Amino acid sequence: MTTVDLGMPGTRIAYGSGNLYEETPFPEHARAELKNTQMRANIGHATHTIRGKRARVVGELPDWQDLRDAGSAIKQEVGARLPELLEQFEANVTARGGVVHWARDAAEANRIVTDLVRAKGVEEVIKVKSMATQEIGLNEHLEGQGIKAHETDLAELIVQLGEDKPSHILVPAIHKNRDEIREIFSRRMPGTGKELTNEPAVLAEAARSYLREKFLDTTVAISGANFGIAETGTLTVVESEGNGRMCLTLPKTLITVMGVEKLLPRFSDLEVFTQLLPRSSTGERMNPYTSMWTGVTEGDGPEEFHLILLDNGRSAVLGDPAGRSALHCIRCSACLNVCPVYEHAGGHAYGSTYPGPIGAILSPQLTGVAAEQNNSLPYASSLCGRCYEVCPVKIDIPSILVHLRDEDIRTKHGQRDQAATQQRSTVIEARQAEAEAAGVTPEPAGHPAEAKKKKVPSEMDLLMKAAGTVMSSGTRMGLAERALPLGRGALKPFGGAKWLPGMVGGWTQERDIPVPPNQSFRNWWKNNGENTQQRVAEDLGDTQLAVSAGGEVPASSLAGEIHQHAAWGAEAQAVAKLRAERDQAEGATTKDSPATSTGEREGEQNA
Amino acid sequence: MSQSEAKATILSRINYALRDQPVAPQTPRAYRRSSSLGHAEVVDMLEDRLVDYKANVYREDASSLPGRIAELLADSVTILPDGLDSSWLPEGLSTVRDHNDDGAPLGARELDALGAVLTSSTVSCAETGTIFLNGAADEGRRALSLVPDHHVCVVPLDTVVELIPEAFERMDHQRPITMISGPSATSDIELERVEGVHGPRRLDVILFG
Ligand code: SF4
C-alpha cells in the first residue's frame, strides 16, 4: 500500500493493494487475447445476448430514467455523508448482534478473515461470488494459510477449478465454452465420471452434487455484499443459483467483506436498487434470489456474523471530486457488455479485478494514477459514450476517463518526481499550487530536475494546453493520437519529455523509452495488434488528419468493426466538439471540462 | 487496539477526502411508487411473470386449495413451518415439522433428505414476478424453503402488489428477507439458461383467494 503524507498529522491518502494491478500492460495482454478467437467469439456472443436482454427489460419500465436519477442521487448522498453513515451502520449491525471490523487495506482484511476462520478451527470455507474478496486476493491468501476456500457460484467454480481468472463481472467464465468446462470438471471435480457430457444442464447438475456436500457440512461461509443499509444494519446479496442463500443460511459463522462505498442510507432505497441492478445486469426483470439479513436472527441462519468494512483505496477515490463517482458503481456489468474495447480485448486484458469501462476508471483511481501498472487503463476506451448511457447510476465514465488521462499527463508532465511523493495530493491542491506557481513563482533554483521542467519550451506548453481541448472530445483524441509520430519527432531534441506518452501512449507502456511510443491505441487496433511502423509513417504523411470514426477501414475486418462501434458514438462526439468550440469562443477554459454535458450526450444518442 | 485504530484511520481518510464538503442532493423520487392498475390486472401480471420464470402457477380458493396441495405433494415427504394455516392441509399428506424428538430444529442433512416444503408468503410483486418471504411463522426459517428440491408456495391474493416499492413497504427488516423470482437458475455456461442449480429446482405457486 502506498501512503502519502500530506503534512497533516494522521491524515494520509492511501491507495489500494491486492488484485488491482495489471500484471501485463493492457496492450500486450490485449494483443495476446486478440489471437484467442474462441474467447472472442464467446465474449461477443455473451455481450450481445445480454445487451439485447437488457434493452428489452429496461424498455419495459416507463420510469427507468427516474430510477437512474434516484440511484445516482442516493449514491451521491452516500459519498457526501459517508463518515456519518458508516458510524450509523456499524451501530445498527452491532446492536443486532453482528461484529464489525475495519480494514484499511487488502492485507488487513485478509488477516482479519484468516484470524476469524482460525478461531473456528476449520480448514475449509465456502464462498459466495464477491468482487471485494477477489480484489483483496482472499482465496490465495487463505490458501497460503492452509485454508481452502471453495467458490460456490458455478462460473467462479469453473474459474477456480481451471486455475483461471474471471473475465467478466457477471459471468466470470464466459471465456470458456462447454467443452472446455467439461474437460475442467472431469479433470478436477471429484466424483465425475464418463456420464459427464458437455450439456450445460449436465454440467450444472455435476456442480450441484459436488457443492451440495460442501453446503451441508461447511460451518464457515464468506460473502460480499451488494448493499448495506445504514439506517437498519441490513445487508443484501443478489444472486441466481441459490449458492448465495446456502452460504448465508446454513453455516454457523458468516463473514462478510464489504467495501465502504456499498452503503445506502435508507431501507427504502432498496426499492430503487433492486430494480436497477437485475435489469442492468442479467437483463432479467428480477434475479432469482435476493437475500437480506440484519445481524443475527435467533433460530434462523448463522449464529455468528462478522462484517469487515474495507477501505483499500476507496477513500483515495473519494478524494477526487472529478473521479469519485466511480464509487457509485453497483457492479452490474452493463458497461462491459456495450464496450467495443472490452468485447474485443476480453476481461483479462484489464488485469485488475474490475474489467471493462468501470475497471478503466476504478482501478487506476484505487491504486493512484501514478501507479505505472495501471496508467494505461484510462486509454483503454474509444470514448464512444455507450457505457454512460447504460449505467444504471449514471456514472459519466467517458468524462472520468478524460479526466484521468489528464491526470496521467500531469503526473508525467515534469511533475513526476513531485508526484511520486505527493501523488495527486489531491487534485485540488495540485492544481491550485500549479496555478499559483505559473503566475508568481520565480524560476526554481538548485534542483536540476526542477529547473529542467521549467525550461520546457513554450511550444510544449502550447501543446499541453491544446491537449486539454483535444481530450475533451473523442474525435480530437483520435486526431491527436494520429498526430503522435509528429510529436515523437518533435520531442527528440529535448531528450525525451515524459508527458506525451501519458497523453497518447500510455497504452504502449513504454515507460523506459524516453520518447513517446511510435504507435497509438487506435492505430494499434487498426492493425489488429500488429506493430506497423509503416502505418504510422503513413499517418505521419496525413497531417490534415481528416479522420472520421467509421468508413476508412473495411467493415469486414476486426478493425473495421471497432470503427463501426466507434461511429456509434459519433453523434456524441460531434456534440462534444461543438460544445468545446462554443466554450472556446466564449473564452471559457475547456481544459477541465468533461466531454459533454450529460444531458447533451444522452439527448443526442436517443435522437 | 488496532481495530479502533483502523476505524479511526479510515474515517479520517474519508473526512479528509470530503474536505471540499460536497452537498448531499435530495433524492428525486419521480419513479412509480403506487400502482394505477386494478387488482385483477395485477394478479394476471404476476401469473404471467411467474410462468415466464418457469414456475408452475395455479389458482385456487379455500375449497380447492387442499386438493391442489394434495396433488402437488403426493409423492413427497413435505416439511411444514409451524405457523402454517392447518385449514390448507389435505388429509393424508406425508409431512414433518421443523423439530426433532428433542425439540431441536432439523439439521441440514435431515432437510436434504426431504422432498418438498410448503410455505405461505408475505407479499408478491407482479411487475417483477417476485415472491417475498419475511421469516413469518407460516414461512419458516430460511433453510426450509431452500434445501428441499421442491417448493410449493401459497400466495394469498391480498398480498399481491404491482410494484417493488409497494412490496418493500410491507417488509420487516428485523427479520430475514428472501426474494424469490422463479426457480434457481444459471446462465454461466455459454449463457444457456439451466433452471435449477442449488435452490429448489421446482417452484409451484398457488395464487390463493
Ligand atoms: S459503472 Fe455503471 S454500468 Fe458499469 S458496472 Fe458499474 S454500475 Fe454497471
Side-chain angles (χ1 to χ4, degrees):
Chain A
M1 159 157 288
T2 319
T3 52
V4 183
D5 199 333
L6 295 167
M8 293 175 62
T11 303
R12 285 154 183 270
I13 291 179
Y15 294 103
S17 50
N19 294 331
L20 291 170
Y21 294 88
E22 286 208 273
E23 286 159 14
T24 321
F26 187 98
E28 248 173 64
H29 209 131
R31 193 186 324 241
E33 301 287 3
L34 275 173
K35 295 200 177 109
N36 186 345
T37 44
Q38 175 65 57
M39 188 192 82
R40 265 217 334 273
N42 292 354
I43 290 196
H45 170 63
T47 54
H48 283 266
T49 309
I50 303 174
R51 210 191 283 178
K53 285 176 70 186
R54 178 203 161 274
R56 266 197 305 282
V57 296
V58 162
E60 218 175 73
L61 291 191
D63 51 357
W64 182 251
Q65 297 305 337
D66 297 326
L67 287 165
R68 285 179 85 211
D69 287 339
S72 169
I74 292 167
K75 284 291 190 176
Q76 282 176 56
E77 178 185 353
V78 170
R81 297 177 54 207
L82 194 53
E84 136 200 22
L85 292 176
L86 281 168
E87 296 270 18
Q88 190 189 14
F89 185 51
E90 179 186 38
N92 283 319
V93 172
T94 308
R96 287 296 311 264
V99 183
V100 178
H101 309 257
W102 300 72
R104 283 163 283 203
D105 57 18
E108 189 162 40
N110 286 331
R111 198 169 56 240
I112 295 169
V113 175
T114 309
D115 288 350
L116 290 170
V117 175
R118 283 243 174 85
K120 294 288 145 202
V122 300
E123 284 169 0
E124 287 188 35
V125 298
I126 45 178
K127 271 192 71 200
V128 197
K129 177 172 183 279
S130 138
M131 305 213 62
T133 59
Q134 220 178 79
E135 170 189 323
I136 62 176
L138 180 63
N139 291 7
E140 298 84 341
H141 178 84
L142 289 175
E143 185 100 53
Q145 304 292 312
I147 299 164
K148 177 81 192 150
H150 298 283
E151 289 292 351
T152 61
D153 173 79
L154 179 53
E156 293 283 350
L157 179 69
I158 294 166
V159 168
Q160 188 178 44
L161 292 177
E163 295 179 343
D164 199 352
K165 282 187 163 188
S167 60
H168 190 282
I169 294 181
L170 173 69
V171 273
I174 201 61
H175 57 290
K176 293 275 184 233
N177 66 20
R178 58 183 74 192
D179 297 319
E180 294 169 306
I181 294 166
R182 196 202 76 87
E183 190 275 323
I184 291 168
F185 277 15
S186 58
R187 195 159 42 84
R188 300 290 311 276
M189 189 184 279
T192 54
K194 285 226 162 26
E195 71 287 351
L196 192 71
T197 70
N198 67 359
E199 272 304 302
V202 174
L203 293 167
E205 171 72 37
R208 176 187 162 97
S209 334
Y210 168 73
L211 285 172
R212 180 131 306 218
E213 295 303 307
K214 309 276 177 221
F215 291 138
L216 295 177
D217 293 336
T218 311
T219 56
V220 178
I222 298 172
S223 83
N226 291 91
F227 310 106
I229 309 301
E231 172 188 79
T232 61
T234 306
L235 284 138
T236 308
V237 164
V238 171
E239 53 135 356
S240 292
E241 296 168 12
N243 62 308
R245 292 178 70 191
M246 291 280 179
C247 292
L248 301 172
T249 310
L250 295 183
K252 288 194 179 333
T253 302
L254 172 62
I255 303 167
T256 298
V257 182
M258 176 182 132
V260 290
E261 83 285 14
K262 294 277 171 194
L263 278 184
L264 298 177
R266 295 156 294 265
F267 184 74
S268 63
D269 294 329
L270 285 167
E271 72 191 23
V272 174
F273 289 91
T274 54
Q275 294 194 73
L276 288 173
L277 181 53
R279 287 183 200 255
S280 302
S281 180
T282 49
E284 294 169 296
R285 293 185 177 115
M286 188 62 78
N287 50 291
Y289 297 135
T290 297
S291 297
M292 300 179 189
W293 73 99
T294 310
V296 173
T297 306
E298 213 195 318
D300 189 346
E303 294 155 11
E304 211 177 305
F305 171 52
H306 295 270
L307 175 68
I308 298 166
L309 293 171
L310 177 71
D311 178 358
N312 204 37
R314 285 158 177 79
S315 54
V317 182
L318 193 65
D320 180 355
R324 62 167 58 127
S325 64
L327 293 178
H328 299 178
C329 175
I330 57 172
R331 314 275 187 262
C332 72
S333 73
C335 58
L336 277 66
N337 297 331
V338 296
C339 178
V341 176
Y342 174 82
E343 183 178 335
H344 289 89
H348 290 157
Y350 295 82
S352 147
T353 297
Y354 305 104
I358 180 61
I361 59 169
L362 189 58
S363 306
Q365 292 201 88
L366 286 169
T367 61
V369 167
E372 297 194 347
Q373 292 94 328
N374 282 337
N375 65 4
S376 71
L377 285 177
Y379 301 88
S381 164
S382 62
L383 300 179
C384 74
R386 274 192 274 182
C387 48
Y388 165 74
E389 279 165 47
V390 296
C391 179
V393 287
K394 300 180 81 166
I395 301 172
D396 189 353
I397 296 176
S399 294
I400 299 180
L401 284 167
V402 170
H403 165 69
L404 293 177
R405 290 178 188 186
D406 192 28
E407 287 306 302
D408 183 45
I409 294 160
R410 284 166 188 281
T411 305
K412 289 170 181 159
H413 182 201
Q415 297 174 351
R416 195 162 190 101
D417 302 336
Q418 217 183 324
T421 52
Q422 281 209 334
Q423 297 275 12
R424 34 179 196 188
S425 90
T426 68
V427 182
I428 310 167
E429 290 96 327
R431 291 194 176 176
Q432 274 166 1
E434 200 183 348
E436 279 161 29
V440 290
T441 316
E443 197 80 355
H447 200 290
E450 288 286 317
K452 207 170 165 189
K453 269 180 243 159
K454 290 292 167 187
K455 283 182 191 158
V456 169
S458 57
E459 291 89 336
M460 289 274 180
D461 287 337
L462 281 173
L463 265 172
M464 188 57 206
K465 215 173 154 192
T469 312
V470 165
M471 286 182 303
S472 69
S473 137
T475 307
R476 291 182 188 193
M477 190 66 198
L479 303 185
E481 285 169 357
R482 286 170 58 96
L484 177 60
L486 196 64
R488 184 180 156 85
L491 286 173
K492 269 181 181 152
F494 310 120
K498 288 181 178 171
W499 61 271
L500 196 53
M503 175 172 136
V504 287
W507 266 75
T508 47
Q509 292 268 316
E510 296 183 50
R511 290 180 301 276
D512 298 325
I513 301 170
V515 287
N518 54 16
Q519 64 172 333
S520 66
F521 165 43
R522 280 159 197 250
N523 282 323
W524 174 78
W525 275 118
K526 270 183 203 161
N527 293 293
N528 198 2
E530 297 301 323
N531 186 352
T532 54
Q533 283 283 3
Q534 198 192 336
R535 177 77 206 194
V536 171
E538 281 169 23
D539 284 352
L540 190 56
D542 180 22
T543 42
Q544 290 311 302
L545 301 174
V547 176
S548 70
E552 68 179 336
V553 183
S556 59
S557 68
L558 169 65
E561 257 177 73
I562 293 273
H563 276 255
Q564 280 183 346
H565 282 304
W568 200 87
E571 299 95 318
Q573 291 171 1
V575 173
K577 197 173 151 196
L578 285 173
R579 180 166 180 258
E581 281 166 9
R582 186 200 63 201
D583 287 353
Q584 244 177 359
E586 287 169 5
T589 171
T590 54
K591 201 169 185 176
D592 299 324
S593 65
T596 65
S597 86
T598 56
E600 275 169 333
R601 186 186 292 115
E602 203 173 11
E604 192 65 21
Q605 287 298 318
N606 292 340
Chain B
M1 179 67 207
S2 96
Q3 258 311 294
S4 58
E5 198 184 296
K7 177 183 173 184
T9 305
I10 292 172
L11 288 177
S12 110
R13 286 173 184 171
I14 293 172
N15 278 312
Y16 183 68
L18 292 172
R19 67 205 176 287
D20 63 324
Q21 299 183 324
V23 179
Q26 269 289 319
T27 303
R29 295 192 193 262
Y31 57 87
R32 293 166 302 151
R33 302 185 84 186
S34 58
S35 176
S36 52
L37 299 181
H39 195 247
E41 243 178 306
V42 173
V43 173
D44 286 348
M45 185 192 278
L46 176 65
E47 175 168 3
D48 173 74
R49 305 288 146 99
L50 287 167
V51 168
D52 196 45
Y53 290 139
K54 306 260 166 40
N56 308 305
V57 184
Y58 308 89
R59 295 201 187 208
E60 309 297 343
D61 58 23
S63 64
S64 64
L65 180 66
R68 176 63 69 189
I69 289 174
E71 180 202 318
L72 294 174
L73 293 171
D75 304 327
S76 314
V77 178
T78 304
I79 186 160
L80 305 176
D82 282 341
L84 202 73
D85 188 338
S86 55
S87 72
W88 295 358
L89 300 175
E91 296 288 314
L93 198 65
S94 168
T95 63
V96 292
R97 295 284 176 171
D98 187 21
H99 21 77
N100 290 317
D101 299 339
D102 57 5
L106 300 191
R109 287 207 173 266
E110 289 167 295
L111 287 177
D112 193 40
L114 300 172
V117 60
L118 172 65
T119 72
S120 184
S121 53
T122 300
V123 63
S124 293
C125 167
E127 187 168 69
T128 62
T130 305
I131 298 167
F132 289 67
L133 305 185
N134 197 185
D138 55 3
E139 296 163 2
R141 62 191 170 109
R142 286 172 288 171
L144 297 198
S145 52
L146 172 64
V147 180
D149 206 12
H150 179 194
H151 182 191
V152 178
C153 186
V154 176
V155 171
L157 287 187
D158 59 0
T159 66
V160 180
V161 297
E162 184 200 354
L163 303 172
I164 283 288
E166 296 174 306
F168 269 101
E169 224 162 68
R170 301 199 193 185
M171 284 296 103
D172 176 2
H173 62 78
Q174 303 273 348
R175 297 195 305 250
I177 298 168
T178 305
M179 295 165 59
I180 299 173
S181 309
S184 72
T186 182
S187 300
D188 280 346
I189 301 170
E190 294 183 12
L191 284 197
E192 191 166 299
R193 188 174 164 100
V194 176
E195 260 85 29
V197 196
H198 306 296
R201 286 182 283 192
R202 179 172 161 199
L203 176 64
D204 295 330
V205 180
I206 303 176
L207 303 175
F208 171 59

PDB file of all heavy atoms in Angstrom, chain A residues 329-335 358 391-393 395 397, ligand 1:
ATOM      1  N   CYS A 329     -20.590   2.760  -8.461  1.00  0.00           N
ATOM      2  CA  CYS A 329     -20.805   1.541  -9.245  1.00  0.00           C
ATOM      3  C   CYS A 329     -21.465   0.428  -8.439  1.00  0.00           C
ATOM      4  O   CYS A 329     -21.063   0.136  -7.329  1.00  0.00           O
ATOM      5  CB  CYS A 329     -19.460   1.046  -9.786  1.00  0.00           C
ATOM      6  SG  CYS A 329     -19.572  -0.526 -10.638  1.00  0.00           S
ATOM      7  N   ILE A 330     -22.497  -0.176  -9.020  1.00  0.00           N
ATOM      8  CA  ILE A 330     -23.152  -1.305  -8.357  1.00  0.00           C
ATOM      9  C   ILE A 330     -22.788  -2.631  -9.039  1.00  0.00           C
ATOM     10  O   ILE A 330     -23.444  -3.644  -8.832  1.00  0.00           O
ATOM     11  CB  ILE A 330     -24.682  -1.122  -8.283  1.00  0.00           C
ATOM     12  CG1 ILE A 330     -25.291  -0.931  -9.680  1.00  0.00           C
ATOM     13  CG2 ILE A 330     -25.050   0.056  -7.394  1.00  0.00           C
ATOM     14  CD1 ILE A 330     -26.822  -0.931  -9.688  1.00  0.00           C
ATOM     15  N   ARG A 331     -21.730  -2.607  -9.850  1.00  0.00           N
ATOM     16  CA  ARG A 331     -21.160  -3.826 -10.455  1.00  0.00           C
ATOM     17  C   ARG A 331     -22.175  -4.615 -11.272  1.00  0.00           C
ATOM     18  O   ARG A 331     -22.270  -5.829 -11.143  1.00  0.00           O
ATOM     19  CB  ARG A 331     -20.607  -4.758  -9.356  1.00  0.00           C
ATOM     20  CG  ARG A 331     -19.767  -4.081  -8.310  1.00  0.00           C
ATOM     21  CD  ARG A 331     -18.331  -3.935  -8.692  1.00  0.00           C
ATOM     22  NE  ARG A 331     -17.553  -3.435  -7.579  1.00  0.00           N
ATOM     23  CZ  ARG A 331     -17.203  -2.158  -7.393  1.00  0.00           C
ATOM     24  NH1 ARG A 331     -17.567  -1.246  -8.284  1.00  0.00           N
ATOM     25  NH2 ARG A 331     -16.495  -1.798  -6.348  1.00  0.00           N
ATOM     26  N   CYS A 332     -22.920  -3.901 -12.093  1.00  0.00           N
ATOM     27  CA  CYS A 332     -23.938  -4.600 -12.878  1.00  0.00           C
ATOM     28  C   CYS A 332     -23.333  -5.192 -14.146  1.00  0.00           C
ATOM     29  O   CYS A 332     -23.870  -6.108 -14.726  1.00  0.00           O
ATOM     30  CB  CYS A 332     -25.053  -3.640 -13.237  1.00  0.00           C
ATOM     31  SG  CYS A 332     -24.571  -2.434 -14.483  1.00  0.00           S
ATOM     32  N   SER A 333     -22.244  -4.608 -14.620  1.00  0.00           N
ATOM     33  CA  SER A 333     -21.513  -5.030 -15.813  1.00  0.00           C
ATOM     34  C   SER A 333     -22.156  -4.598 -17.130  1.00  0.00           C
ATOM     35  O   SER A 333     -21.716  -5.007 -18.188  1.00  0.00           O
ATOM     36  CB  SER A 333     -21.210  -6.532 -15.828  1.00  0.00           C
ATOM     37  OG  SER A 333     -22.368  -7.288 -16.094  1.00  0.00           O
ATOM     38  N   ALA A 334     -23.167  -3.759 -17.070  1.00  0.00           N
ATOM     39  CA  ALA A 334     -23.776  -3.273 -18.316  1.00  0.00           C
ATOM     40  C   ALA A 334     -22.747  -2.540 -19.178  1.00  0.00           C
ATOM     41  O   ALA A 334     -22.761  -2.648 -20.406  1.00  0.00           O
ATOM     42  CB  ALA A 334     -24.960  -2.350 -18.003  1.00  0.00           C
ATOM     43  N   CYS A 335     -21.843  -1.815 -18.527  1.00  0.00           N
ATOM     44  CA  CYS A 335     -20.869  -1.045 -19.321  1.00  0.00           C
ATOM     45  C   CYS A 335     -19.887  -1.977 -20.041  1.00  0.00           C
ATOM     46  O   CYS A 335     -19.389  -1.651 -21.115  1.00  0.00           O
ATOM     47  CB  CYS A 335     -20.142  -0.018 -18.452  1.00  0.00           C
ATOM     48  SG  CYS A 335     -19.249  -0.679 -17.045  1.00  0.00           S
ATOM     49  N   ILE A 358     -15.679   0.327 -16.364  1.00  0.00           N
ATOM     50  CA  ILE A 358     -15.612   0.692 -14.947  1.00  0.00           C
ATOM     51  C   ILE A 358     -14.210   0.416 -14.410  1.00  0.00           C
ATOM     52  O   ILE A 358     -13.660   1.187 -13.629  1.00  0.00           O
ATOM     53  CB  ILE A 358     -16.711  -0.010 -14.104  1.00  0.00           C
ATOM     54  CG1 ILE A 358     -16.607   0.395 -12.626  1.00  0.00           C
ATOM     55  CG2 ILE A 358     -16.642  -1.522 -14.199  1.00  0.00           C
ATOM     56  CD1 ILE A 358     -16.773   1.867 -12.354  1.00  0.00           C
ATOM     57  N   CYS A 391     -25.325   2.933 -17.896  1.00  0.00           N
ATOM     58  CA  CYS A 391     -25.018   2.830 -16.461  1.00  0.00           C
ATOM     59  C   CYS A 391     -26.242   3.175 -15.617  1.00  0.00           C
ATOM     60  O   CYS A 391     -26.788   4.265 -15.719  1.00  0.00           O
ATOM     61  CB  CYS A 391     -23.856   3.749 -16.098  1.00  0.00           C
ATOM     62  SG  CYS A 391     -23.482   3.668 -14.330  1.00  0.00           S
ATOM     63  N   PRO A 392     -26.671   2.241 -14.769  1.00  0.00           N
ATOM     64  CA  PRO A 392     -27.894   2.470 -14.000  1.00  0.00           C
ATOM     65  C   PRO A 392     -27.756   3.590 -12.978  1.00  0.00           C
ATOM     66  O   PRO A 392     -28.763   4.115 -12.520  1.00  0.00           O
ATOM     67  CB  PRO A 392     -28.135   1.124 -13.308  1.00  0.00           C
ATOM     68  CG  PRO A 392     -26.805   0.460 -13.273  1.00  0.00           C
ATOM     69  CD  PRO A 392     -26.096   0.915 -14.509  1.00  0.00           C
ATOM     70  N   VAL A 393     -26.528   3.927 -12.591  1.00  0.00           N
ATOM     71  CA  VAL A 393     -26.361   5.023 -11.637  1.00  0.00           C
ATOM     72  C   VAL A 393     -25.691   6.230 -12.302  1.00  0.00           C
ATOM     73  O   VAL A 393     -25.172   7.115 -11.638  1.00  0.00           O
ATOM     74  CB  VAL A 393     -25.587   4.583 -10.377  1.00  0.00           C
ATOM     75  CG1 VAL A 393     -26.465   3.696  -9.513  1.00  0.00           C
ATOM     76  CG2 VAL A 393     -24.306   3.852 -10.737  1.00  0.00           C
ATOM     77  N   ILE A 395     -22.953   6.902 -14.002  1.00  0.00           N
ATOM     78  CA  ILE A 395     -21.554   7.299 -13.865  1.00  0.00           C
ATOM     79  C   ILE A 395     -21.070   7.759 -15.236  1.00  0.00           C
ATOM     80  O   ILE A 395     -21.174   7.022 -16.216  1.00  0.00           O
ATOM     81  CB  ILE A 395     -20.685   6.134 -13.361  1.00  0.00           C
ATOM     82  CG1 ILE A 395     -21.197   5.639 -12.010  1.00  0.00           C
ATOM     83  CG2 ILE A 395     -19.220   6.565 -13.258  1.00  0.00           C
ATOM     84  CD1 ILE A 395     -20.527   4.372 -11.533  1.00  0.00           C
ATOM     85  N   ILE A 397     -18.606   7.756 -17.242  1.00  0.00           N
ATOM     86  CA  ILE A 397     -17.305   7.105 -17.420  1.00  0.00           C
ATOM     87  C   ILE A 397     -16.423   7.835 -18.441  1.00  0.00           C
ATOM     88  O   ILE A 397     -15.242   8.060 -18.174  1.00  0.00           O
ATOM     89  CB  ILE A 397     -17.500   5.614 -17.792  1.00  0.00           C
ATOM     90  CG1 ILE A 397     -18.178   4.887 -16.621  1.00  0.00           C
ATOM     91  CG2 ILE A 397     -16.167   4.949 -18.136  1.00  0.00           C
ATOM     92  CD1 ILE A 397     -18.512   3.441 -16.890  1.00  0.00           C
TER      93      ILE A 397
HETATM   94  S1  SF4 C   1     -20.061   1.562 -13.955  1.00  0.00           S
HETATM   95 FE1  SF4 C   1     -22.288   1.586 -14.120  1.00  0.00          FE
HETATM   96  S2  SF4 C   1     -22.673   0.224 -15.872  1.00  0.00           S
HETATM   97 FE2  SF4 C   1     -20.563  -0.203 -15.255  1.00  0.00          FE
HETATM   98  S3  SF4 C   1     -20.703  -1.917 -13.822  1.00  0.00           S
HETATM   99 FE3  SF4 C   1     -20.771  -0.035 -12.595  1.00  0.00          FE
HETATM  100  S4  SF4 C   1     -22.939   0.417 -12.316  1.00  0.00           S
HETATM  101 FE4  SF4 C   1     -22.778  -1.033 -14.023  1.00  0.00          FE
END
